[in-house]
Coordinates of all heavy atoms in Angstrom, one line a residue:
M810 N 10.4 -7.9 -2.4 CA 9.1 -8.0 -1.8 C 8.3 -9.1 -2.5 O 8.3 -9.2 -3.7 CB 8.3 -6.6 -2.0 CG 7.0 -6.6 -1.4 SD 6.3 -5.0 -1.2 CE 5.5 -4.8 -2.7
N811 N 7.6 -9.9 -1.7 CA 6.8 -11.0 -2.2 C 5.6 -10.4 -2.9 O 5.1 -9.3 -2.5 CB 6.3 -11.9 -1.1 CG 7.5 -12.7 -0.5 OD1 8.5 -12.8 -1.2 ND2 7.4 -13.1 0.7
K812 N 4.9 -11.1 -3.8 CA 3.7 -10.7 -4.4 C 2.7 -10.4 -3.3 O 2.4 -11.2 -2.5 CB 3.2 -11.7 -5.4 CG 2.0 -11.3 -6.1 CD 1.5 -12.3 -7.1 CE 0.3 -11.8 -7.8 NZ -0.2 -12.8 -8.7
L813 N 2.1 -9.2 -3.4 CA 1.1 -8.9 -2.4 C -0.2 -9.6 -2.7 O -0.7 -9.6 -3.8 CB 0.8 -7.4 -2.4 CG 2.0 -6.5 -2.0 CD1 1.6 -5.0 -2.3 CD2 2.4 -6.7 -0.6
E814 N -0.8 -10.2 -1.7 CA -2.1 -10.9 -1.8 C -3.1 -10.0 -1.2 O -3.6 -10.2 -0.1 CB -2.0 -12.2 -1.1 CG -1.0 -13.2 -1.7 CD -0.9 -14.5 -1.0 OE1 -1.7 -14.7 -0.1 OE2 0.1 -15.2 -1.2
I815 N -3.5 -8.9 -1.9 CA -4.4 -7.9 -1.4 C -5.6 -7.7 -2.1 O -6.4 -6.8 -1.7 CB -3.6 -6.6 -1.2 CG1 -3.1 -6.1 -2.5 CG2 -2.5 -6.8 -0.2 CD1 -2.3 -4.8 -2.4
K816 N -5.9 -8.4 -3.2 CA -7.0 -8.1 -4.0 C -8.3 -8.1 -3.2 O -9.1 -7.2 -3.3 CB -7.1 -9.1 -5.2 CG -6.4 -8.7 -6.4 CD -6.4 -9.8 -7.4 CE -7.7 -10.0 -8.1 NZ -7.7 -11.0 -9.2
G817 N -8.6 -9.2 -2.5 CA -9.9 -9.3 -1.8 C -10.1 -8.3 -0.7 O -11.2 -7.9 -0.4
D818 N -9.0 -8.0 0.0 CA -9.1 -7.1 1.2 C -8.6 -5.6 0.9 O -8.3 -4.9 1.8 CB -8.3 -7.7 2.3 CG -8.8 -9.0 2.7 OD1 -10.1 -9.2 2.8 OD2 -8.0 -9.9 3.0
W819 N -8.6 -5.3 -0.3 CA -8.0 -4.0 -0.7 C -8.7 -2.8 0.0 O -8.0 -1.9 0.4 CB -8.0 -3.8 -2.2 CG -7.2 -2.6 -2.6 CD1 -7.7 -1.6 -3.4 CD2 -5.9 -2.2 -2.2 NE1 -6.8 -0.6 -3.5 CE2 -5.6 -0.9 -2.8 CE3 -4.9 -2.7 -1.4 CZ2 -4.4 -0.2 -2.6 CZ3 -3.7 -2.0 -1.2 CH2 -3.5 -0.8 -1.8
N820 N -10.0 -2.8 0.2 CA -10.7 -1.7 0.8 C -10.2 -1.5 2.2 O -10.0 -0.4 2.7 CB -12.2 -1.8 0.7 CG -12.7 -1.6 -0.7 OD1 -12.1 -0.9 -1.5 ND2 -13.8 -2.2 -1.0
I821 N -10.1 -2.7 2.9 CA -9.6 -2.6 4.3 C -8.2 -2.1 4.4 O -7.8 -1.3 5.2 CB -9.7 -4.0 4.9 CG1 -11.1 -4.5 5.0 CG2 -9.0 -4.1 6.3 CD1 -11.3 -6.0 5.3
I822 N -7.3 -2.6 3.5 CA -5.9 -2.2 3.5 C -5.8 -0.7 3.2 O -5.0 0.0 3.8 CB -5.1 -3.0 2.5 CG1 -5.1 -4.5 2.9 CG2 -3.8 -2.5 2.2 CD1 -4.7 -5.5 1.9
Q823 N -6.6 -0.2 2.2 CA -6.6 1.2 2.0 C -6.9 2.1 3.2 O -6.2 3.1 3.4 CB -7.6 1.6 0.9 CG -7.2 1.2 -0.5 CD -8.3 1.6 -1.5 OE1 -9.4 1.4 -1.3 NE2 -7.8 2.2 -2.6
G824 N -7.9 1.7 3.9 CA -8.2 2.4 5.1 C -7.1 2.4 6.1 O -6.8 3.4 6.8
K825 N -6.5 1.3 6.3 CA -5.3 1.2 7.3 C -4.2 2.0 6.8 O -3.5 2.7 7.6 CB -4.9 -0.3 7.4 CG -5.9 -1.1 8.2 CD -5.4 -2.6 8.2 CE -6.4 -3.5 8.9 NZ -6.4 -3.4 10.3
L826 N -3.9 2.1 5.5 CA -2.8 2.9 5.0 C -3.1 4.4 5.2 O -2.3 5.2 5.5 CB -2.5 2.6 3.6 CG -1.9 1.2 3.3 CD1 -1.8 0.9 1.8 CD2 -0.5 1.0 4.0
K827 N -4.4 4.8 5.0 CA -4.8 6.2 5.2 C -4.7 6.6 6.6 O -4.4 7.7 6.9 CB -6.2 6.4 4.6 CG -6.2 6.4 3.1 CD -7.6 6.7 2.6 CE -7.8 6.7 1.2 NZ -9.2 6.9 0.7
Q828 N -5.0 5.6 7.5 CA -4.9 5.9 8.9 C -3.4 6.2 9.3 O -3.1 7.1 10.1 CB -5.4 4.8 9.8 CG -6.9 4.7 9.8 CD -7.4 3.5 10.6 OE1 -6.6 2.6 11.1 NE2 -8.7 3.3 10.6
K829 N -2.5 5.4 8.7 CA -1.1 5.5 9.0 C -0.5 6.8 8.3 O 0.2 7.5 9.0 CB -0.3 4.3 8.4 CG 1.2 4.4 8.8 CD 1.8 3.0 8.4 CE 3.3 3.0 8.7 NZ 3.6 3.0 10.1
W830 N -0.9 7.1 7.1 CA -0.4 8.3 6.4 C -1.6 9.0 5.8 O -2.1 8.7 4.7 CB 0.5 7.8 5.2 CG 1.7 7.2 5.6 CD1 2.7 7.7 6.4 CD2 2.2 5.9 5.3 NE1 3.8 6.8 6.6 CE2 3.5 5.7 5.9 CE3 1.7 4.9 4.5 CZ2 4.2 4.5 5.7 CZ3 2.4 3.7 4.3 CH2 3.6 3.6 4.9
A831 N -2.1 10.0 6.5 CA -3.3 10.8 6.2 C -3.1 11.5 4.8 O -4.1 11.9 4.2 CB -3.6 11.8 7.3
K832 N -1.9 11.7 4.4 CA -1.6 12.4 3.1 C -2.1 11.6 1.9 O -2.3 12.2 0.8 CB -0.1 12.7 3.0 CG 0.4 13.7 3.9 CD 1.9 13.8 3.7 CE 2.5 14.8 4.7 NZ 4.0 14.9 4.5
L833 N -2.2 10.3 2.0 CA -2.6 9.5 0.9 C -4.0 9.7 0.4 O -4.9 9.9 1.2 CB -2.4 8.0 1.3 CG -1.0 7.5 1.6 CD1 -1.1 6.0 2.0 CD2 -0.1 7.7 0.4
T834 N -4.2 9.7 -0.9 CA -5.5 9.9 -1.5 C -5.9 8.6 -2.2 O -5.1 7.7 -2.3 CB -5.4 11.0 -2.6 OG1 -4.6 10.5 -3.7 CG2 -4.9 12.3 -2.0
D835 N -7.2 8.5 -2.6 CA -7.7 7.4 -3.3 C -6.9 7.2 -4.6 O -6.6 6.0 -5.0 CB -9.1 7.5 -3.7 CG -10.0 7.4 -2.4 OD1 -9.6 6.8 -1.4 OD2 -11.1 7.9 -2.4
D836 N -6.5 8.2 -5.3 CA -5.7 8.1 -6.5 C -4.3 7.5 -6.2 O -3.8 6.7 -7.0 CB -5.5 9.4 -7.2 CG -6.8 9.9 -7.9 OD1 -7.7 9.1 -8.2 OD2 -6.9 11.1 -8.2
D837 N -3.7 7.9 -5.0 CA -2.5 7.3 -4.7 C -2.5 5.8 -4.5 O -1.6 5.1 -4.8 CB -1.9 7.9 -3.4 CG -1.6 9.4 -3.5 OD1 -1.1 9.8 -4.6 OD2 -1.7 10.1 -2.5
L838 N -3.7 5.3 -4.0 CA -3.9 4.0 -3.6 C -4.6 3.1 -4.6 O -5.0 2.0 -4.3 CB -4.6 3.9 -2.3 CG -3.8 4.5 -1.1 CD1 -4.7 4.5 0.1 CD2 -2.5 3.7 -0.9
K839 N -4.7 3.6 -5.9 CA -5.3 2.8 -6.9 C -4.4 1.6 -7.1 O -3.2 1.7 -7.5 CB -5.4 3.6 -8.2 CG -6.5 4.5 -8.2 CD -6.7 5.2 -9.5 CE -7.9 6.1 -9.5 NZ -8.0 6.9 -10.8
F840 N -4.9 0.4 -6.8 CA -4.2 -0.8 -7.0 C -4.6 -1.5 -8.3 O -5.8 -1.8 -8.5 CB -4.4 -1.8 -5.8 CG -3.7 -3.1 -5.9 CD1 -2.4 -3.2 -5.7 CD2 -4.4 -4.2 -6.3 CE1 -1.7 -4.4 -5.9 CE2 -3.8 -5.4 -6.5 CZ -2.4 -5.5 -6.2
V841 N -3.6 -1.8 -9.1 CA -3.8 -2.5 -10.3 C -3.0 -3.8 -10.2 O -1.8 -3.7 -9.9 CB -3.4 -1.7 -11.6 CG1 -3.6 -2.5 -12.8 CG2 -4.2 -0.4 -11.6
E842 N -3.6 -4.9 -10.4 CA -2.9 -6.2 -10.3 C -1.6 -6.2 -11.1 O -1.6 -5.7 -12.3 CB -3.8 -7.3 -10.7 CG -3.2 -8.7 -10.5 CD -4.2 -9.8 -10.8 OE1 -5.4 -9.5 -11.1 OE2 -3.8 -11.0 -10.7
G843 N -0.6 -6.6 -10.5 CA 0.7 -6.6 -11.2 C 1.5 -5.3 -11.1 O 2.5 -5.2 -11.7
K844 N 0.9 -4.3 -10.4 CA 1.6 -3.0 -10.4 C 2.0 -2.6 -8.9 O 2.0 -1.5 -8.5 CB 0.6 -1.9 -10.8 CG 0.2 -2.1 -12.3 CD 1.3 -1.6 -13.2 CE 0.8 -1.7 -14.6 NZ 1.8 -1.2 -15.6
Q845 N 2.5 -3.6 -8.2 CA 2.9 -3.4 -6.8 C 4.0 -2.4 -6.7 O 4.0 -1.6 -5.8 CB 3.3 -4.7 -6.1 CG 2.2 -5.7 -6.0 CD 2.0 -6.7 -7.1 OE1 2.6 -6.5 -8.2 NE2 1.2 -7.7 -7.0
E846 N 5.0 -2.5 -7.6 CA 6.1 -1.6 -7.6 C 5.6 -0.1 -7.8 O 6.1 0.8 -7.1 CB 7.1 -1.9 -8.7 CG 7.7 -3.3 -8.5 CD 8.6 -3.4 -7.2 OE1 9.3 -2.4 -6.9 OE2 8.4 -4.4 -6.6
E847 N 4.7 0.1 -8.6 CA 4.1 1.4 -8.8 C 3.4 1.9 -7.6 O 3.6 3.1 -7.2 CB 3.2 1.4 -10.0 CG 2.6 2.8 -10.3 CD 1.7 2.8 -11.5 OE1 1.8 1.9 -12.4 OE2 0.9 3.8 -11.6
L848 N 2.7 1.1 -7.0 CA 2.0 1.4 -5.8 C 3.0 1.8 -4.7 O 2.8 2.9 -4.0 CB 1.1 0.3 -5.2 CG 0.4 0.4 -3.9 CD1 -0.6 1.6 -4.0 CD2 -0.3 -0.9 -3.5
V849 N 4.0 1.0 -4.5 CA 5.0 1.4 -3.4 C 5.6 2.7 -3.8 O 5.8 3.6 -2.9 CB 6.1 0.2 -3.4 CG1 7.3 0.7 -2.5 CG2 5.5 -1.0 -2.8
G850 N 6.0 2.9 -5.0 CA 6.6 4.2 -5.4 C 5.7 5.4 -5.2 O 6.1 6.4 -4.8
R851 N 4.4 5.2 -5.5 CA 3.4 6.3 -5.2 C 3.3 6.7 -3.7 O 3.3 7.8 -3.3 CB 2.0 5.9 -5.7 CG 1.8 5.9 -7.1 CD 0.3 5.5 -7.4 NE 0.1 5.5 -8.8 CZ -1.1 6.0 -9.3 NH1 -2.0 6.4 -8.5 NH2 -1.2 6.0 -10.6
I852 N 3.3 5.6 -2.9 CA 3.2 5.8 -1.5 C 4.5 6.5 -1.0 O 4.5 7.4 -0.1 CB 2.9 4.6 -0.7 CG1 1.6 4.0 -1.0 CG2 3.1 4.8 0.8 CD1 1.2 2.7 -0.5
Q853 N 5.7 6.0 -1.5 CA 6.9 6.6 -1.1 C 6.9 8.1 -1.5 O 7.4 9.0 -0.7 CB 8.1 6.0 -1.9 CG 8.5 4.7 -1.2 CD 9.7 4.2 -2.0 OE1 9.6 3.5 -3.0 NE2 10.9 4.5 -1.5
K854 N 6.5 8.4 -2.7 CA 6.6 9.8 -3.1 C 5.7 10.7 -2.3 O 6.0 11.8 -1.9 CB 6.1 9.9 -4.6 CG 6.2 11.3 -5.2 CD 5.8 11.2 -6.7 CE 5.9 12.6 -7.3 NZ 5.5 12.6 -8.7
R855 N 4.5 10.2 -1.9 CA 3.5 11.0 -1.2 C 3.9 11.2 0.3 O 3.8 12.3 0.9 CB 2.2 10.4 -1.3 CG 1.0 11.1 -0.5 CD 0.7 12.5 -1.1 NE 0.0 12.3 -2.3 CZ -0.6 13.3 -2.9 NH1 -0.6 14.5 -2.4 NH2 -1.2 13.1 -4.0
T856 N 4.5 10.2 0.9 CA 4.8 10.2 2.3 C 6.2 10.5 2.6 O 6.5 10.9 3.8 CB 4.5 8.8 2.9 OG1 5.4 7.8 2.4 CG2 3.0 8.4 2.7
G857 N 7.1 10.3 1.7 CA 8.5 10.6 2.0 C 9.2 9.4 2.7 O 10.4 9.5 3.1
E858 N 8.5 8.3 2.9 CA 9.0 7.2 3.6 C 10.0 6.4 2.7 O 9.8 6.4 1.5 CB 7.9 6.2 4.1 CG 7.0 6.9 5.1 CD 7.7 7.0 6.5 OE1 8.8 6.5 6.7 OE2 7.0 7.5 7.4
N859 N 10.9 5.6 3.3 CA 11.7 4.8 2.5 C 11.0 3.5 2.1 O 9.9 3.2 2.6 CB 13.1 4.5 3.1 CG 12.9 3.6 4.3 OD1 12.1 2.7 4.4 ND2 13.8 3.9 5.3
R860 N 11.5 2.8 1.1 CA 10.9 1.6 0.5 C 10.6 0.5 1.6 O 9.5 0.0 1.6 CB 11.7 1.0 -0.6 CG 11.2 -0.2 -1.2 CD 12.0 -0.7 -2.4 NE 11.4 -1.6 -3.2 CZ 10.5 -1.3 -4.1 NH1 10.2 -0.1 -4.4 NH2 9.8 -2.3 -4.8
E861 N 11.5 0.3 2.5 CA 11.3 -0.7 3.5 C 10.1 -0.4 4.4 O 9.4 -1.4 4.7 CB 12.6 -0.9 4.3 CG 13.8 -1.5 3.5 CD 14.5 -0.5 2.6 OE1 14.4 0.7 2.8 OE2 15.1 -1.0 1.6
V862 N 10.0 0.8 4.8 CA 8.9 1.2 5.7 C 7.5 1.0 4.9 O 6.6 0.5 5.5 CB 9.0 2.7 6.1 CG1 7.8 3.2 6.8 CG2 10.3 2.8 7.0
V863 N 7.5 1.4 3.7 CA 6.2 1.2 2.9 C 5.9 -0.3 2.7 O 4.8 -0.7 2.9 CB 6.4 2.0 1.5 CG1 5.2 1.6 0.6 CG2 6.5 3.4 1.7
E864 N 6.9 -1.1 2.3 CA 6.6 -2.5 2.2 C 6.2 -3.1 3.4 O 5.3 -4.0 3.5 CB 7.9 -3.2 1.6 CG 8.1 -2.8 0.2 CD 9.4 -3.4 -0.4 OE1 10.2 -4.0 0.4 OE2 9.6 -3.4 -1.6
K865 N 6.8 -2.8 4.6 CA 6.4 -3.3 5.8 C 5.0 -2.9 6.2 O 4.2 -3.8 6.7 CB 7.4 -2.8 7.0 CG 7.1 -3.4 8.3 CD 8.0 -2.9 9.4 CE 7.7 -3.5 10.7 NZ 8.5 -2.9 11.8
A866 N 4.6 -1.7 5.9 CA 3.2 -1.2 6.2 C 2.2 -2.0 5.4 O 1.1 -2.5 5.8 CB 3.1 0.2 6.0
L867 N 2.5 -2.2 4.1 CA 1.7 -3.0 3.2 C 1.5 -4.5 3.7 O 0.4 -5.0 3.8 CB 2.2 -3.0 1.8 CG 2.0 -1.7 1.0 CD1 2.8 -1.7 -0.2 CD2 0.5 -1.5 0.7
T868 N 2.6 -5.0 4.0 CA 2.6 -6.4 4.5 C 1.8 -6.6 5.8 O 1.0 -7.5 5.9 CB 4.1 -6.9 4.7 OG1 4.8 -6.8 3.5 CG2 4.1 -8.4 5.2
E869 N 2.1 -5.6 6.8 CA 1.3 -5.7 8.0 C -0.2 -5.5 7.8 O -1.0 -6.1 8.4 CB 1.9 -4.6 9.0 CG 3.2 -5.0 9.5 CD 3.8 -3.9 10.4 OE1 3.3 -2.8 10.4 OE2 4.9 -4.1 11.0
S870 N -0.5 -4.6 6.9 CA -1.9 -4.3 6.6 C -2.6 -5.6 6.0 O -3.7 -5.9 6.3 CB -2.1 -3.2 5.6 OG -1.6 -2.0 6.2
C871 N -1.8 -6.3 5.2 CA -2.4 -7.5 4.5 C -2.5 -8.6 5.6 O -3.5 -9.3 5.6 CB -1.4 -8.0 3.4 SG -1.4 -6.9 2.0
A872 N -1.6 -8.7 6.5 CA -1.6 -9.8 7.5 C -2.8 -9.6 8.4 O -3.4 -10.6 8.9 CB -0.3 -9.7 8.3
H873 N -3.2 -8.4 8.7 CA -4.4 -8.2 9.6 C -5.7 -8.5 9.0 O -6.7 -8.6 9.7 CB -4.4 -6.8 10.1 CG -3.2 -6.4 10.9 ND1 -2.9 -7.0 12.1 CD2 -2.2 -5.5 10.7 CE1 -1.8 -6.5 12.6 NE2 -1.3 -5.5 11.8
C874 N -5.8 -8.6 7.7 CA -7.0 -8.9 7.0 C -7.4 -10.3 7.0 O -8.5 -10.7 6.7 CB -7.0 -8.4 5.6 SG -6.7 -6.6 5.5
K875 N -6.4 -11.2 7.1 CA -6.7 -12.7 6.9 C -7.2 -13.3 8.1 O -7.1 -12.9 9.2 CB -5.4 -13.3 6.5 CG -5.0 -12.9 5.1 CD -3.8 -13.5 4.6 CE -3.5 -12.9 3.3 NZ -2.5 -13.6 2.5

């Protein structure tokens, strides 16, 4: 996965991810720069989705913000 360019639009992305997976909490979506792998893992654990689905959702959410 390429480095996520989500710092500036993180609030928008969080909202989109919560719409997709209502189970996600603010704690699940705490984004710390350089911790993309941990973020993907948290979302996978909470939603039960595979890595590819989570990465695709993150990428699509980022693309809509620009």
Side-chain angles (χ1 to χ4, degrees):
M810 179 164 92
N811 294 336
K812 182 177 178 184
L813 298 174
E814 298 176 12
I815 59 179
K816 271 174 69 174
D818 296 318
W819 184 234
N820 289 333
I821 295 167
I822 294 166
Q823 281 181 317
K825 289 178 185 277
L826 293 173
K827 285 182 183 179
Q828 287 174 359
K829 183 170 180 70
W830 295 302
K832 295 179 182 180
L833 294 176
T834 66
D835 288 336
D836 285 342
D837 292 327
L838 294 173
K839 284 186 180 174
F840 176 76
V841 179
E842 188 173 354
K844 299 285 186 174
Q845 293 91 349
E846 295 298 316
E847 182 179 338
L848 174 65
V849 170
R851 285 178 178 223
I852 294 172
Q853 279 186 276
K854 183 176 179 180
R855 179 66 73 169
T856 65
E858 295 286 358
N859 66 38
R860 180 176 193 82
E861 291 78 23
V862 171
V863 172
E864 289 178 348
K865 182 178 178 184
L867 286 168
T868 302
E869 287 173 353
S870 295
C871 292
H873 295 299
C874 296
K875 294 181 181 190

